[in-house]
Amino acid sequence: MNSREAERAPSALTPPPDAIPPVRHPEAPAPGELLGAHYDHCFGCGGGQPHGLHLQARAGDGVSITAEFTVQPAHQGAPGLAHGGVLATALDETLGSLNWLLRTIAVTGRLETDFVRPVPVGTVLHLQAEVTAVAGRKIYSTAVGRTGGPDGPVAVRAQALFIEVVVDHFIDNGRPDEIRAAMADPDQIRRVRAFEVNP
């Protein structure tokens, strides 16, 4: 493929022509409702990770969410600035949380991130994400992270493709001790949510 063909080739993040608009599940959390951690030991949202992001996500209108986290000293790469991998994790976590509004178990298939400006330690990163299309098992979504408030300047943005999977994906690939612990949770909703985000 030459460079002109590559420029015209559709991106893996571009929904196909037969994609449909996303539909919020009737039992999805109400707009404004805090989603909570999907798994206590998740680096992105879990309270059981002392150096995790402790990202807080809320359901929005349609198939959208808002989220935020505060960049801590443990999250820095260059002195005083958030590590790019941490910012990508925040975007991935936010995008993955969208699947709870669809009531779909899905994993990240592809994540493309743009780093627009540095994010200093101590900054609250305000994230907004939405599902843009669904095509079979493929879920297309976008997110943006801003500093200085929900309407502040863009610091990071991403496009993502999530792939719907069954819970066996996690059971077959996860460590048995953690799988057993998550499956033993008496809270049925937390038990299901433990298996909803990461590949």
Side-chain angles (χ1 to χ4, degrees):
M1 178 182 301
N2 66 38
S3 61
R4 285 186 185 218
E5 289 171 328
E7 287 175 14
R8 288 191 303 258
S11 163
L13 297 171
T14 301
D18 62 344
I20 60 173
V23 177
R24 184 189 187 101
H25 193 280
E27 295 176 18
E33 188 175 329
L34 187 65
L35 299 182
H38 75 93
Y39 177 53
D40 192 48
H41 296 288
C42 172
F43 182 79
C45 66
Q49 290 287 349
H51 298 297
L53 305 185
H54 303 160
L55 188 132
Q56 299 275 316
R58 290 189 183 278
D61 294 324
V63 187
S64 71
I65 65 167
T66 59
E68 59 183 51
F69 89 98
T70 302
V71 179
Q72 301 296 326
H75 303 146
Q76 63 189 310
L81 298 174
H83 191 289
V86 168
L87 297 176
T89 299
L91 288 162
D92 185 43
E93 184 68 30
T94 302
L95 290 157
S97 295
L98 287 165
N99 297 312
W100 188 237
L101 301 181
L102 299 172
R103 287 294 179 100
T104 298
I105 299 173
V107 297
T108 310
R110 185 176 180 108
L111 176 67
E112 188 172 294
T113 306
D114 295 316
F115 300 97
V116 180
R117 62 175 29 97
V119 180
V121 169
T123 298
V124 176
L125 189 66
H126 299 267
L127 298 134
Q128 300 167 320
E130 67 177 336
V131 176
T132 57
V134 176
R137 294 176 48 225
K138 295 180 177 181
I139 301 164
Y140 298 85
S141 53
T142 63
V144 63
R146 300 173 183 272
T147 58
D151 298 317
V154 173
V156 291
R157 61 179 159 247
Q159 289 183 286
L161 169 63
F162 280 76
I163 308 297
E164 184 178 352
V165 296
V166 295
V167 76
D168 290 354
H169 168 87
F170 301 96
I171 294 169
D172 294 343
N173 296 292
R175 288 193 332 172
D177 289 347
E178 282 87 354
I179 297 295
R180 278 193 295 274
M183 295 296 279
D185 191 324
D187 184 320
Q188 182 180 6
I189 291 175
R190 273 200 325 244
R191 190 168 59 239
V192 171
R193 286 201 68 205
F195 301 100
E196 75 173 3
V197 176
N198 295 318

